[in-house]
Amino acid sequence: MKELGSYLSQKRLEAGLSQRNVSDHLGYSTPQFVSNWERGVSHPPIGQIKSLAKLYKIDAEEVFKILLKETLKEVEADLRQRFEVVK
């Protein structure tokens, strides 16, 4: 989730917003949620992507594509580990 986190952090800063601004706008009680997304600890809920995109003035589809790409990488890594497949 590092690529998505870096992207969201960059776009938030370009929009002139703090993590607190974003968390308040989305109805979270703490900016820790936004921090976790940007550090790659977690990702925003799918239902929040359009709201984030609107707030950051970016294309929601672009955010979705990055999230999809990273999710597929994680699933592949998990499956490789489970089945002990070596490239």
Side-chain angles (χ1 to χ4, degrees), residues 55-66:
L55 183 61
Y56 294 177
K57 296 178 176 72
I58 57 176
D59 181 15
E61 187 66 24
E62 187 173 350
V63 179
F64 177 80
K65 286 178 183 177
I66 296 169

Side-chain angles (χ1 to χ4, degrees), residues 61-78:
E61 187 66 24
E62 187 173 350
V63 179
F64 177 80
K65 286 178 183 177
I66 296 169
L67 177 58
L68 178 60
K69 179 180 166 187
E70 289 192 343
T71 300
L72 289 173
K73 284 181 186 177
E74 288 178 0
V75 169
E76 180 182 8
D78 181 56

